PDB file of all heavy atoms in Angstrom:
ATOM      1  N   PRO A 885    -123.710  -3.526 -22.424  1.00 85.00           N
ATOM      2  CA  PRO A 885    -123.678  -2.783 -23.570  1.00 85.00           C
ATOM      3  C   PRO A 885    -123.235  -1.379 -23.225  1.00 85.00           C
ATOM      4  O   PRO A 885    -124.045  -0.530 -22.875  1.00 85.00           O
ATOM      5  CB  PRO A 885    -125.097  -2.761 -24.068  1.00 85.00           C
ATOM      6  CG  PRO A 885    -126.015  -3.011 -22.868  1.00 85.00           C
ATOM      7  CD  PRO A 885    -125.071  -3.706 -21.881  1.00 85.00           C
ATOM      8  N   ASN A 888    -124.167   3.460 -24.325  1.00 54.00           N
ATOM      9  CA  ASN A 888    -124.816   4.531 -23.699  1.00 54.00           C
ATOM     10  C   ASN A 888    -124.974   4.356 -22.127  1.00 54.00           C
ATOM     11  O   ASN A 888    -125.660   5.156 -21.512  1.00 54.00           O
ATOM     12  CB  ASN A 888    -126.228   4.684 -24.342  1.00 54.00           C
ATOM     13  CG  ASN A 888    -126.080   5.304 -25.672  1.00 54.00           C
ATOM     14  OD1 ASN A 888    -125.482   6.210 -25.881  1.00 54.00           O
ATOM     15  ND2 ASN A 888    -126.876   4.668 -26.638  1.00 54.00           N
ATOM     16  N   ALA A 901    -117.072  -4.253  -1.315  1.00 97.00           N
ATOM     17  CA  ALA A 901    -117.494  -5.678  -1.072  1.00 97.00           C
ATOM     18  C   ALA A 901    -116.366  -6.538  -0.502  1.00 97.00           C
ATOM     19  O   ALA A 901    -115.194  -6.254  -0.854  1.00 97.00           O
ATOM     20  CB  ALA A 901    -118.133  -6.268  -2.263  1.00 97.00           C
ATOM     21  N   HIS A 919    -128.888   0.210 -32.649  1.00 55.00           N
ATOM     22  CA  HIS A 919    -129.049   1.021 -31.402  1.00 55.00           C
ATOM     23  C   HIS A 919    -129.552   2.308 -31.564  1.00 55.00           C
ATOM     24  O   HIS A 919    -130.275   2.875 -30.627  1.00 55.00           O
ATOM     25  CB  HIS A 919    -127.743   0.903 -30.737  1.00 55.00           C
ATOM     26  CG  HIS A 919    -127.753   1.359 -29.232  1.00 55.00           C
ATOM     27  ND1 HIS A 919    -127.461   2.596 -28.799  1.00 55.00           N
ATOM     28  CD2 HIS A 919    -128.326   0.687 -28.175  1.00 55.00           C
ATOM     29  CE1 HIS A 919    -127.699   2.717 -27.457  1.00 55.00           C
ATOM     30  NE2 HIS A 919    -128.147   1.765 -27.099  1.00 55.00           N
ATOM     31  N   GLU A 921    -131.609   3.525 -33.502  1.00 67.00           N
ATOM     32  CA  GLU A 921    -133.058   3.565 -33.902  1.00 67.00           C
ATOM     33  C   GLU A 921    -134.077   3.053 -32.764  1.00 67.00           C
ATOM     34  O   GLU A 921    -135.177   3.089 -33.058  1.00 67.00           O
ATOM     35  CB  GLU A 921    -133.209   2.780 -35.189  1.00 67.00           C
ATOM     36  CG  GLU A 921    -132.338   3.241 -36.377  1.00 67.00           C
ATOM     37  CD  GLU A 921    -132.292   2.189 -37.446  1.00 67.00           C
ATOM     38  OE1 GLU A 921    -132.956   1.219 -37.394  1.00 67.00           O
ATOM     39  OE2 GLU A 921    -131.677   2.560 -38.510  1.00 67.00           O
ATOM     40  N   THR A 933    -135.432  -6.667 -31.069  1.00 86.00           N
ATOM     41  CA  THR A 933    -134.070  -6.168 -31.111  1.00 86.00           C
ATOM     42  C   THR A 933    -133.273  -6.374 -29.826  1.00 86.00           C
ATOM     43  O   THR A 933    -132.153  -6.698 -29.726  1.00 86.00           O
ATOM     44  CB  THR A 933    -134.079  -4.592 -31.449  1.00 86.00           C
ATOM     45  OG1 THR A 933    -134.588  -4.569 -32.729  1.00 86.00           O
ATOM     46  CG2 THR A 933    -132.593  -4.124 -31.668  1.00 86.00           C
ATOM     47  N   SER A 941    -125.356 -16.772 -29.508  1.00 95.00           N
ATOM     48  CA  SER A 941    -124.208 -16.610 -30.366  1.00 95.00           C
ATOM     49  C   SER A 941    -123.560 -15.250 -30.273  1.00 95.00           C
ATOM     50  O   SER A 941    -122.387 -15.166 -30.292  1.00 95.00           O
ATOM     51  CB  SER A 941    -124.758 -16.739 -31.855  1.00 95.00           C
ATOM     52  OG  SER A 941    -125.680 -15.839 -32.247  1.00 95.00           O
ATOM     53  N   GLN A 953    -109.952 -16.213 -18.152  1.00 97.00           N
ATOM     54  CA  GLN A 953    -109.750 -14.817 -17.587  1.00 97.00           C
ATOM     55  C   GLN A 953    -110.584 -14.477 -16.379  1.00 97.00           C
ATOM     56  O   GLN A 953    -110.113 -13.666 -15.541  1.00 97.00           O
ATOM     57  CB  GLN A 953    -110.058 -13.838 -18.698  1.00 97.00           C
ATOM     58  CG  GLN A 953    -109.262 -13.849 -19.998  1.00 97.00           C
ATOM     59  CD  GLN A 953    -109.486 -12.737 -20.889  1.00 97.00           C
ATOM     60  OE1 GLN A 953    -110.085 -11.738 -20.562  1.00 97.00           O
ATOM     61  NE2 GLN A 953    -109.092 -12.837 -22.141  1.00 97.00           N
ATOM     62  N   LEU A 977    -126.819 -18.751 -20.266  1.00 98.00           N
ATOM     63  CA  LEU A 977    -125.876 -19.127 -19.340  1.00 98.00           C
ATOM     64  C   LEU A 977    -124.908 -20.269 -19.750  1.00 98.00           C
ATOM     65  O   LEU A 977    -123.769 -20.249 -19.368  1.00 98.00           O
ATOM     66  CB  LEU A 977    -126.747 -19.726 -18.089  1.00 98.00           C
ATOM     67  CG  LEU A 977    -127.727 -18.535 -17.519  1.00 98.00           C
ATOM     68  CD1 LEU A 977    -128.403 -19.141 -16.218  1.00 98.00           C
ATOM     69  CD2 LEU A 977    -126.876 -17.383 -16.926  1.00 98.00           C
ATOM     70  N   THR A 991    -128.308 -11.115 -14.564  1.00 98.00           N
ATOM     71  CA  THR A 991    -129.079 -10.234 -13.722  1.00 98.00           C
ATOM     72  C   THR A 991    -130.512 -10.805 -13.540  1.00 98.00           C
ATOM     73  O   THR A 991    -130.932 -10.838 -12.303  1.00 98.00           O
ATOM     74  CB  THR A 991    -129.384  -8.708 -14.204  1.00 98.00           C
ATOM     75  OG1 THR A 991    -127.934  -8.195 -14.657  1.00 98.00           O
ATOM     76  CG2 THR A 991    -129.986  -7.826 -13.412  1.00 98.00           C
ATOM     77  N   ASP A 997    -132.996 -15.610  -7.729  1.00 97.00           N
ATOM     78  CA  ASP A 997    -132.397 -16.254  -6.696  1.00 97.00           C
ATOM     79  C   ASP A 997    -132.406 -15.359  -5.292  1.00 97.00           C
ATOM     80  O   ASP A 997    -132.692 -15.934  -4.218  1.00 97.00           O
ATOM     81  CB  ASP A 997    -130.959 -16.590  -7.011  1.00 97.00           C
ATOM     82  CG  ASP A 997    -130.793 -17.787  -7.930  1.00 97.00           C
ATOM     83  OD1 ASP A 997    -131.755 -18.442  -8.259  1.00 97.00           O
ATOM     84  OD2 ASP A 997    -129.625 -17.919  -8.417  1.00 97.00           O
ATOM     85  N   VAL A1004    -139.125 -13.933   0.455  1.00 96.00           N
ATOM     86  CA  VAL A1004    -140.279 -12.855   0.310  1.00 96.00           C
ATOM     87  C   VAL A1004    -141.278 -13.711  -0.651  1.00 96.00           C
ATOM     88  O   VAL A1004    -140.935 -14.443  -1.660  1.00 96.00           O
ATOM     89  CB  VAL A1004    -139.887 -11.666  -0.317  1.00 96.00           C
ATOM     90  CG1 VAL A1004    -139.038 -10.784   0.632  1.00 96.00           C
ATOM     91  CG2 VAL A1004    -139.317 -11.749  -1.661  1.00 96.00           C
ATOM     92  N   VAL A1007    -144.002  -9.270  -3.966  1.00 98.00           N
ATOM     93  CA  VAL A1007    -143.089  -8.118  -4.307  1.00 98.00           C
ATOM     94  C   VAL A1007    -143.907  -7.162  -5.260  1.00 98.00           C
ATOM     95  O   VAL A1007    -144.983  -7.408  -5.728  1.00 98.00           O
ATOM     96  CB  VAL A1007    -141.863  -8.679  -5.208  1.00 98.00           C
ATOM     97  CG1 VAL A1007    -141.136  -9.575  -4.347  1.00 98.00           C
ATOM     98  CG2 VAL A1007    -142.389  -9.319  -6.464  1.00 98.00           C
ATOM     99  N   ASP A1019    -144.200  -7.014 -18.299  1.00 96.00           N
ATOM    100  CA  ASP A1019    -145.017  -8.236 -18.346  1.00 96.00           C
ATOM    101  C   ASP A1019    -144.051  -9.414 -18.449  1.00 96.00           C
ATOM    102  O   ASP A1019    -144.273 -10.456 -17.722  1.00 96.00           O
ATOM    103  CB  ASP A1019    -145.935  -8.316 -19.617  1.00 96.00           C
ATOM    104  CG  ASP A1019    -147.089  -7.411 -19.484  1.00 96.00           C
ATOM    105  OD1 ASP A1019    -147.408  -6.843 -18.281  1.00 96.00           O
ATOM    106  OD2 ASP A1019    -147.642  -7.055 -20.503  1.00 96.00           O
ATOM    107  N   ARG A1035    -147.200  -2.862  -9.709  1.00 98.00           N
ATOM    108  CA  ARG A1035    -146.072  -2.553 -10.683  1.00 98.00           C
ATOM    109  C   ARG A1035    -146.339  -1.032 -11.096  1.00 98.00           C
ATOM    110  O   ARG A1035    -147.410  -0.559 -11.103  1.00 98.00           O
ATOM    111  CB  ARG A1035    -146.167  -3.479 -11.917  1.00 98.00           C
ATOM    112  CG  ARG A1035    -147.465  -3.422 -12.519  1.00 98.00           C
ATOM    113  CD  ARG A1035    -147.701  -4.366 -13.687  1.00 98.00           C
ATOM    114  NE  ARG A1035    -147.100  -3.915 -14.874  1.00 98.00           N
ATOM    115  CZ  ARG A1035    -147.153  -4.520 -16.064  1.00 98.00           C
ATOM    116  NH1 ARG A1035    -147.664  -5.797 -16.010  1.00 98.00           N
ATOM    117  NH2 ARG A1035    -146.663  -4.099 -17.221  1.00 98.00           N
ATOM    118  N   ALA A1038    -142.352   2.988 -16.180  1.00 95.00           N
ATOM    119  CA  ALA A1038    -141.945   4.303 -16.659  1.00 95.00           C
ATOM    120  C   ALA A1038    -141.921   4.428 -18.201  1.00 95.00           C
ATOM    121  O   ALA A1038    -141.639   5.560 -18.728  1.00 95.00           O
ATOM    122  CB  ALA A1038    -140.630   4.567 -16.044  1.00 95.00           C
ATOM    123  N   TRP A1049    -130.960   9.277 -15.689  1.00 93.00           N
ATOM    124  CA  TRP A1049    -131.900   9.747 -14.707  1.00 93.00           C
ATOM    125  C   TRP A1049    -131.172  10.293 -13.472  1.00 93.00           C
ATOM    126  O   TRP A1049    -130.164   9.792 -13.070  1.00 93.00           O
ATOM    127  CB  TRP A1049    -132.854   8.621 -14.298  1.00 93.00           C
ATOM    128  CG  TRP A1049    -133.822   8.299 -15.243  1.00 93.00           C
ATOM    129  CD1 TRP A1049    -134.071   8.804 -16.515  1.00 93.00           C
ATOM    130  CD2 TRP A1049    -134.996   7.475 -14.926  1.00 93.00           C
ATOM    131  NE1 TRP A1049    -135.239   8.106 -16.997  1.00 93.00           N
ATOM    132  CE2 TRP A1049    -135.783   7.289 -16.094  1.00 93.00           C
ATOM    133  CE3 TRP A1049    -135.409   6.685 -13.799  1.00 93.00           C
ATOM    134  CZ2 TRP A1049    -137.009   6.571 -16.096  1.00 93.00           C
ATOM    135  CZ3 TRP A1049    -136.540   6.005 -13.911  1.00 93.00           C
ATOM    136  CH2 TRP A1049    -137.351   5.944 -15.120  1.00 93.00           C
ATOM    137  N   GLY A1050    -131.766  11.270 -12.816  1.00 95.00           N
ATOM    138  CA  GLY A1050    -131.236  11.834 -11.590  1.00 95.00           C
ATOM    139  C   GLY A1050    -131.714  11.069 -10.461  1.00 95.00           C
ATOM    140  O   GLY A1050    -132.699  10.179 -10.516  1.00 95.00           O
ATOM    141  N   ASP A1051    -131.180  11.261  -9.244  1.00 97.00           N
ATOM    142  CA  ASP A1051    -131.620  10.545  -8.046  1.00 97.00           C
ATOM    143  C   ASP A1051    -133.153  10.711  -7.835  1.00 97.00           C
ATOM    144  O   ASP A1051    -133.761   9.760  -7.395  1.00 97.00           O
ATOM    145  CB  ASP A1051    -130.853  11.146  -6.834  1.00 97.00           C
ATOM    146  CG  ASP A1051    -129.322  10.882  -6.908  1.00 97.00           C
ATOM    147  OD1 ASP A1051    -128.957  10.063  -7.893  1.00 97.00           O
ATOM    148  OD2 ASP A1051    -128.683  11.303  -5.879  1.00 97.00           O
ATOM    149  N   ALA A1052    -133.524  11.911  -7.794  1.00 98.00           N
ATOM    150  CA  ALA A1052    -134.997  12.227  -7.506  1.00 98.00           C
ATOM    151  C   ALA A1052    -135.949  11.293  -8.404  1.00 98.00           C
ATOM    152  O   ALA A1052    -137.012  10.879  -8.013  1.00 98.00           O
ATOM    153  CB  ALA A1052    -135.372  13.646  -7.638  1.00 98.00           C
ATOM    154  N   ALA A1066    -146.434  -5.513  -0.519  1.00 98.00           N
ATOM    155  CA  ALA A1066    -145.049  -6.029  -0.975  1.00 98.00           C
ATOM    156  C   ALA A1066    -144.005  -6.086   0.136  1.00 98.00           C
ATOM    157  O   ALA A1066    -143.871  -5.175   0.974  1.00 98.00           O
ATOM    158  CB  ALA A1066    -144.560  -4.916  -1.971  1.00 98.00           C
ATOM    159  N   LEU A1070    -138.666  -4.649  -6.670  1.00 98.00           N
ATOM    160  CA  LEU A1070    -137.710  -4.963  -7.574  1.00 98.00           C
ATOM    161  C   LEU A1070    -137.495  -3.747  -8.581  1.00 98.00           C
ATOM    162  O   LEU A1070    -138.420  -3.275  -9.042  1.00 98.00           O
ATOM    163  CB  LEU A1070    -138.061  -6.195  -8.341  1.00 98.00           C
ATOM    164  CG  LEU A1070    -138.607  -7.419  -7.507  1.00 98.00           C
ATOM    165  CD1 LEU A1070    -139.050  -8.447  -8.407  1.00 98.00           C
ATOM    166  CD2 LEU A1070    -137.651  -7.791  -6.455  1.00 98.00           C
ATOM    167  N   HIS A1080    -125.410   4.319  -4.835  1.00 96.00           N
ATOM    168  CA  HIS A1080    -125.473   5.360  -3.740  1.00 96.00           C
ATOM    169  C   HIS A1080    -126.821   5.700  -3.126  1.00 96.00           C
ATOM    170  O   HIS A1080    -126.920   6.387  -2.091  1.00 96.00           O
ATOM    171  CB  HIS A1080    -124.740   6.653  -4.131  1.00 96.00           C
ATOM    172  CG  HIS A1080    -125.633   7.366  -5.308  1.00 96.00           C
ATOM    173  ND1 HIS A1080    -125.919   6.762  -6.427  1.00 96.00           N
ATOM    174  CD2 HIS A1080    -126.376   8.584  -5.213  1.00 96.00           C
ATOM    175  CE1 HIS A1080    -126.662   7.718  -7.160  1.00 96.00           C
ATOM    176  NE2 HIS A1080    -126.923   8.586  -6.383  1.00 96.00           N
ATOM    177  N   SER A1084    -131.907   5.523   0.728  1.00 97.00           N
ATOM    178  CA  SER A1084    -132.971   6.362   0.323  1.00 97.00           C
ATOM    179  C   SER A1084    -134.143   5.669  -0.282  1.00 97.00           C
ATOM    180  O   SER A1084    -135.403   5.947  -0.012  1.00 97.00           O
ATOM    181  CB  SER A1084    -132.439   7.513  -0.650  1.00 97.00           C
ATOM    182  OG  SER A1084    -131.501   8.374  -0.223  1.00 97.00           O
ATOM    183  N   LEU A1094    -134.380  -4.294  -4.178  1.00 98.00           N
ATOM    184  CA  LEU A1094    -133.491  -5.101  -4.867  1.00 98.00           C
ATOM    185  C   LEU A1094    -133.236  -4.428  -6.178  1.00 98.00           C
ATOM    186  O   LEU A1094    -134.092  -4.428  -7.146  1.00 98.00           O
ATOM    187  CB  LEU A1094    -133.956  -6.540  -5.150  1.00 98.00           C
ATOM    188  CG  LEU A1094    -134.307  -7.364  -3.819  1.00 98.00           C
ATOM    189  CD1 LEU A1094    -134.733  -8.676  -4.211  1.00 98.00           C
ATOM    190  CD2 LEU A1094    -133.160  -7.279  -2.868  1.00 98.00           C
ATOM    191  N   GLN A1098    -127.248  -4.601  -7.382  1.00 98.00           N
ATOM    192  CA  GLN A1098    -127.156  -5.379  -6.224  1.00 98.00           C
ATOM    193  C   GLN A1098    -127.280  -6.886  -6.643  1.00 98.00           C
ATOM    194  O   GLN A1098    -126.365  -7.747  -6.247  1.00 98.00           O
ATOM    195  CB  GLN A1098    -128.188  -5.178  -5.210  1.00 98.00           C
ATOM    196  CG  GLN A1098    -128.015  -3.774  -4.441  1.00 98.00           C
ATOM    197  CD  GLN A1098    -129.267  -3.657  -3.585  1.00 98.00           C
ATOM    198  OE1 GLN A1098    -130.165  -4.431  -3.448  1.00 98.00           O
ATOM    199  NE2 GLN A1098    -129.391  -2.405  -3.060  1.00 98.00           N
ATOM    200  N   TYR A1105    -120.994 -13.500  -6.864  1.00 98.00           N
ATOM    201  CA  TYR A1105    -120.394 -14.042  -5.668  1.00 98.00           C
ATOM    202  C   TYR A1105    -120.977 -15.365  -5.368  1.00 98.00           C
ATOM    203  O   TYR A1105    -120.166 -16.457  -5.308  1.00 98.00           O
ATOM    204  CB  TYR A1105    -120.554 -13.165  -4.411  1.00 98.00           C
ATOM    205  CG  TYR A1105    -119.427 -12.047  -4.330  1.00 98.00           C
ATOM    206  CD1 TYR A1105    -119.773 -10.728  -4.594  1.00 98.00           C
ATOM    207  CD2 TYR A1105    -118.195 -12.375  -3.932  1.00 98.00           C
ATOM    208  CE1 TYR A1105    -118.848  -9.733  -4.494  1.00 98.00           C
ATOM    209  CE2 TYR A1105    -117.314 -11.431  -3.801  1.00 98.00           C
ATOM    210  CZ  TYR A1105    -117.662 -10.082  -4.112  1.00 98.00           C
ATOM    211  OH  TYR A1105    -116.572  -9.038  -4.005  1.00 98.00           O
ATOM    212  N   GLY A1123    -123.596 -10.425   4.758  1.00 71.00           N
ATOM    213  CA  GLY A1123    -122.535 -11.400   5.040  1.00 71.00           C
ATOM    214  C   GLY A1123    -123.133 -12.699   5.557  1.00 71.00           C
ATOM    215  O   GLY A1123    -124.297 -12.937   5.714  1.00 71.00           O
TER     216      GLY A1123
END
Side-chain angles (χ1 to χ4, degrees):
N888 284 314
H919 191 257
E921 303 171 358
T933 301
S941 65
Q953 292 184 23
L977 300 176
T991 305
D997 290 348
V1004 298
V1007 300
D1019 291 342
R1035 60 186 274 181
W1049 282 15
D1051 295 356
L1070 313 183
H1080 64 295
S1084 297
L1094 301 181
Q1098 290 171 9
Y1105 277 106

